[in-house]
Amino acid sequence: MTVYVRSLETAVPETKLIQSEARDVFAAQPGLSRLGSRLVNTCFDGAAIETRFTAVQELTNTSRAEEPQFYDQETGLLLNPSTKVRNDIFAREATKLFVEASRAALQAAPEVDLLDITHLVTVSCTGFFNPGPDYKVVRELGLNPAVQRYHLGFMGCYAAFPALRAAKLFCEADPNAVVLVVCAELCSLHVRTSNDPDTIMGSALFADGAAAAVVTARPGMADTALMKLDHFETVLTPVGEDSMAWNIGDNGFEMVLGNYVPHIIDDHIVGALQPLLAREPELVPLPYTAIPHWAIHPGGRSILDKVQSRLGLSDTQLIPARETLRNYGNMSSATVLFVLKHILEQPLREGPAAEERICSMAFGPGLTVETGLFTKIRQATGGAPGWEGSAAEDALGQLQSRTPAEAPVA
């Protein structure tokens, strides 16, 4: 049975962070040591990020709060609210993103009625509340109150893959199922000033965003669908359990992002891909570049560099991941869906009836490597221009000219 992604849409908060401005604020904090100050400048400048989005309006210089909780513009100080304060904002602001992304995905599939949705899978690792986002989406959009609801919480950056895999299983079990998958993350809620390298890197990388997909195997869907969900695999690397983690502290969630993570991925990425590609033996002897599209979760610039080098991928194949990182930062579970949307918006290179393979992967605590093999069958409407020929060269040249020196981690 073929399971399709009918639509894939994204959403971000209205407030945009300029990376250089955020760097200057973090670098000016009075509690930084000399080493901490150097790390702030190196991590922010080396992250290959220009803009990010945040649900915390007061983190910018254009918004003033009467009682600031995160950033006091008058003193220039970053504040350190409690986990409860941060989580209360998550409950309010994440709901908006869950609903906005869901509504966009459903509007992009006009033949799907709201009452057609049989299953809802929501994903987030940056906050908790109950009744949760699954409940809020049902109520806000007017879905059938009997829809089957599932929430995947606190899994981290790879969680879009278990969500899509669950959607595929639901559709294979019930050919009439229509599954709405929604990831929304407010990573910026947990930023803070610190001399700790992991905390500094997290403040330089992470951002807010959401993405939603409509997944189904209903007959006739091939005429309008964007992509087939072919195979998924999960691999745990033999090392790295202590190198990437996500813990709850008294003043927000605390990131562990060791500088050895890119090296672990470099050592184990080939082995992590083997079970996935073995699903289609004809792919095993081919070079990785034979798969035209690579939707890699941009956990950071160094991770993308290691994956590209180890797999021998071309610069053009990394454009969707690098452009997502540059324009949006790392939005945890939602990010790889932004990369997939970028790929789906490119024209099919071999004509309107052609199909193109996509290999996708994301990395998270454990160290966990989630992989997926998909087939692009249609260009998403309203997308970006294609990357063929001179267009690809121009975009790549602009990207390389804007990329700063490499950061020490991520």
Side-chain angles (χ1 to χ4, degrees), residues 161-374:
F161 285 87
L164 290 173
R165 182 168 56 237
K168 185 174 187 289
L169 291 172
F170 293 148
C171 293
E172 289 172 340
D174 178 4
N176 287 316
V178 180
V179 187
L180 178 61
V181 175
V182 201
C183 302
E185 305 285 8
L186 301 189
C187 305
S188 70
L189 286 177
H190 303 289
V191 301
R192 61 177 63 79
T193 182
S194 173
N195 286 300
D196 175 65
D198 291 351
T199 303
I200 292 172
M201 179 53 67
S203 299
L205 283 175
F206 285 99
D208 303 349
V214 173
V215 179
T216 186
R218 283 191 173 183
M221 195 54 63
D223 296 336
T224 54
L226 302 176
M227 179 175 76
K228 301 175 187 176
L229 296 180
D230 298 321
H231 311 292
F232 292 94
E233 289 290 343
T234 301
V235 171
L236 300 181
T237 61
V239 295
E241 182 175 348
D242 298 327
S243 297
M244 187 184 294
W246 189 223
N247 303 309
I248 299 177
D250 293 335
N251 296 97
F253 299 171
E254 300 169 351
M255 167 59 68
V256 176
L257 189 62
N259 60 7
Y260 197 61
V261 168
H263 302 285
I264 296 173
I265 293 173
D266 185 33
D267 289 342
H268 297 285
I269 189 64
V270 171
L273 280 172
Q274 286 177 348
L276 179 74
L277 299 181
R279 294 289 202 101
E280 298 190 20
E282 66 273 15
L283 293 177
V284 174
L286 299 178
Y288 296 111
T289 52
I291 299 174
H293 301 293
W294 288 79
I296 302 167
H297 168 67
R301 181 189 173 187
S302 295
I303 288 176
L304 294 180
D305 289 347
K306 291 293 186 183
V307 172
Q308 180 177 6
S309 175
R310 176 62 67 180
L311 301 183
L313 302 179
S314 70
D315 290 333
T316 301
Q317 287 172 307
L318 267 289
I319 285 177
R322 294 194 190 275
E323 286 283 286
T324 298
L325 181 64
R326 182 174 68 85
N327 295 325
Y328 298 100
N330 184 341
M331 300 165 286
S332 191
S333 67
T335 320
V336 73
L337 298 180
F338 276 68
V339 180
L340 278 168
K341 179 175 170 59
H342 190 297
I343 291 171
L344 292 173
E345 288 176 343
Q346 301 171 25
L348 286 164
R349 297 173 182 172
E350 300 175 2
E355 295 185 351
E356 297 173 356
R357 304 310 296 274
I358 303 171
C359 189
S360 187
M361 65 184 73
F363 320 97
L367 197 141
T368 301
V369 182
E370 288 277 355
T371 57
L373 192 62
F374 314 131

